[in-house]
Amino acid sequence: AQKVTQAQTEISVVEKEDVTLDCVYETRDTTYYLFWYKQPPSGELVFLIRRNSFDEQNEISGRYSWNFQKSTSSFNFTITASQVVDSAVYFCALSSQGGSEKLVFGKGMKLTVNP
Amino acid sequence: EPEVTQTPSHQVTQMGQEVILRCVPISNHLYFYWYRQILGQKVEFLVSFYNNEISEKSEIFDDQFSVERPDGSNFTLKIRSTKLEDSAMYFCASTPGNRGRGAETQYFGPGTRLLVL
C-alpha cells in the first residue's frame, strides 16, 4: 500500500528564514509521481509541483525548491526567505501511474511565518 | 485560466438528510475525483470517475454515497442519509485523462464545507 509521511505537524518561523518541509513516501511501484499542494487559510488546494520517479533532478521555482532523493524515498520542499504569505498547510502526495491515479496525501504540515 | 468550481461553498444539514454537492470540472477534462478533508486532518480519496462510471472507490465511499455526471458539465456527489461524521470539506478534482502520459496533475475546486448537525 502507498503511504506518505510528513513527520512535522507544525513549524513556526520568522520572516526571511529558510524552512524545509519533509516528506517520506512508501510505494512498491516503480513508476510513481510525487506532488506538493499548498492549502492557505482560505481552504483551497493549490498545486505546487509534480515530479515523476525517474526524474531525480532538483527543481527550483523562485523561492521554492524541491529535493527528490529516491535512495531515501524523500521529496523535501524548501522555502527560501519565507514570507508571511507562505503561511499555510502544505501537503505532500503520491500517485501511481495507471488505474485511477488517485492521490494519497500525507497529514500535512502547518507553516506559520511571523513578521 | 480554466478552473474547477464547486457549489455550494458551505452547506449545513440535519443528520439523516440527503445532500448533493456539485462540481463543474475543467471543460475538456475526462477524469473526475472527490476527496474529503475532516477538519484539521489529511485529504482522503473518496472516488474516481471516468467514462460515466466509477473507476475506483475507497472504503469510505459506502452505499450512502453516489456520484453522477448528469450532463456534460456537472459532476455530483450525493450523500443519501448524512451522519455527524460526514462533516468535512469535500473537494472535487479533475484531470485531462490522457492516460499513458503519467499520473496527471489534479486540479482542485475550492471545496464545499459540509456541516451535519
Side-chain angles (χ1 to χ4, degrees):
Chain A
Q2 297 183 321
K3 187 178 176 182
V4 175
T5 301
Q6 294 180 255
Q8 309 144 307
T9 53
E10 199 162 344
I11 293 180
S12 187
V13 299
V14 177
E15 215 170 11
K16 296 184 184 173
E17 278 187 49
D18 299 347
V19 58
T20 295
L21 316 181
D22 297 331
C23 172
V24 173
Y25 62 91
E26 294 175 33
T27 180
R28 291 184 180 177
D29 297 323
T30 52
T31 304
Y32 53 89
Y33 291 77
L34 295 160
F35 301 81
W36 277 93
Y37 284 85
K38 173 182 179 180
Q39 187 174 43
S42 47
E44 71 271 26
L45 287 166
V46 179
F47 164 74
L48 294 177
I49 189 170
R50 165 184 178 264
R51 176 51 55 88
N52 76 55
S53 52
F54 296 107
D55 183 1
E56 285 194 72
Q57 278 200 335
N58 291 335
E59 181 151 344
I60 298 174
S61 175
R63 296 184 297 105
Y64 294 171
S65 61
W66 290 269
N67 182 355
F68 176 32
Q69 300 228 340
K70 219 166 172 178
S71 58
T72 56
S73 297
S74 65
F75 186 44
N76 296 338
F77 172 31
T78 297
I79 302 174
T80 303
S82 59
Q83 299 176 1
V84 172
V85 293
D86 296 327
S87 297
V89 179
Y90 290 87
F91 290 96
C92 181
L94 169 68
S95 175
S96 296
Q97 180 169 318
S100 75
E101 297 181 351
K102 67 182 181 195
L103 289 170
V104 174
F105 284 84
K107 289 187 176 179
M109 203 287 301
K110 182 178 180 181
L111 172 66
T112 302
V113 181
N114 297 301
Chain B
E1 188 176 319
E3 56 184 22
V4 177
T5 60
Q6 290 184 243
T7 54
S9 57
H10 293 78
Q11 176 136 13
V12 181
T13 190
Q14 296 292 322
M15 195 169 55
Q17 294 295 303
E18 174 183 287
V19 295
I20 297 177
L21 310 184
R22 291 183 168 79
C23 168
V24 178
I26 295 173
S27 65
N28 59 346
H29 284 191
L30 301 176
Y31 231 111
F32 315 121
Y33 303 82
W34 283 102
Y35 293 82
R36 81 168 185 194
Q37 183 184 29
I38 294 171
L39 187 63
Q41 298 188 23
K42 68 176 176 181
V43 181
E44 300 174 288
F45 168 75
L46 291 178
V47 66
S48 58
F49 191 86
Y50 175 74
N51 201 24
N52 273 325
E53 59 183 26
I54 290 173
S55 62
E56 186 175 352
K57 59 183 180 180
S58 71
E59 57 224 25
I60 303 168
F61 194 88
D62 61 22
D63 292 344
Q64 292 300 313
F65 291 89
S66 62
V67 288
E68 193 179 29
R69 184 141 164 92
D71 53 44
S73 58
N74 290 283
F75 178 51
T76 62
L77 174 70
K78 182 194 290 187
I79 309 175
R80 286 193 187 79
S81 178
T82 50
K83 307 183 188 79
L84 295 176
E85 54 264 36
D86 292 328
S87 295
M89 178 80 99
Y90 288 81
F91 291 103
C92 174
S94 69
T95 67
N98 296 317
R99 289 302 185 258
R101 292 192 190 178
E104 298 170 308
T105 297
Q106 293 186 24
Y107 293 94
F108 285 81
T112 293
R113 188 170 294 284
L114 176 66
L115 178 60
V116 182
L117 301 176

